[in-house]
Amino acid sequence: MTAHHPTATDALVPFADNSASRTIGGMTVENGTDSIAFYGQTDLSRDRTGLERARALLAFMQQVVAALEAQKDLPDALPPRKPAKVANPFA
């Protein structure tokens, strides 16, 4: 497994857009304006690589918390998403 070394160019601003993503180890963080998705898997091993990954995840989560706390009109919950209609590709 190749170690990922986060840099300033990996900056991901929480809730800023619907397209940016970042991978930390095997964990992908996908940005969205309404939510942020985490998927995949990474190990926080008891070594320098594990420490780097833990710091990168912690730093991003602190940014998420700060962004949410800064939003004065934060709703209790978002309304359910309406499914988008997609044209039948077999029609």
Side-chain angles (χ1 to χ4, degrees):
M1 183 180 336
T2 304
H4 176 78
H5 302 284
T7 65
T9 59
D10 289 336
L12 184 64
V13 178
F15 308 108
D17 58 54
N18 285 317
S19 62
S21 67
R22 177 179 176 192
T23 301
I24 301 170
M27 177 75 64
T28 298
V29 179
E30 192 172 276
N31 213 14
T33 55
D34 290 337
S35 64
I36 296 170
F38 292 83
Y39 55 89
Q41 177 178 321
T42 193
D43 293 321
L44 300 179
S45 49
R46 198 172 182 177
D47 56 17
R48 292 191 188 276
T49 298
L51 177 59
E52 284 181 23
R53 289 177 184 165
R55 284 181 174 158
L57 288 168
L58 177 60
F60 182 70
M61 291 306 296
Q62 288 172 326
Q63 289 179 314
V64 171
V65 169
L68 291 170
E69 288 176 339
Q71 188 174 337
K72 302 297 180 208
D73 58 347
L74 193 66
D76 290 334
L78 291 177
R81 291 185 185 180
K82 294 180 182 178
K85 273 196 162 183
V86 179
N88 183 347
F90 303 107

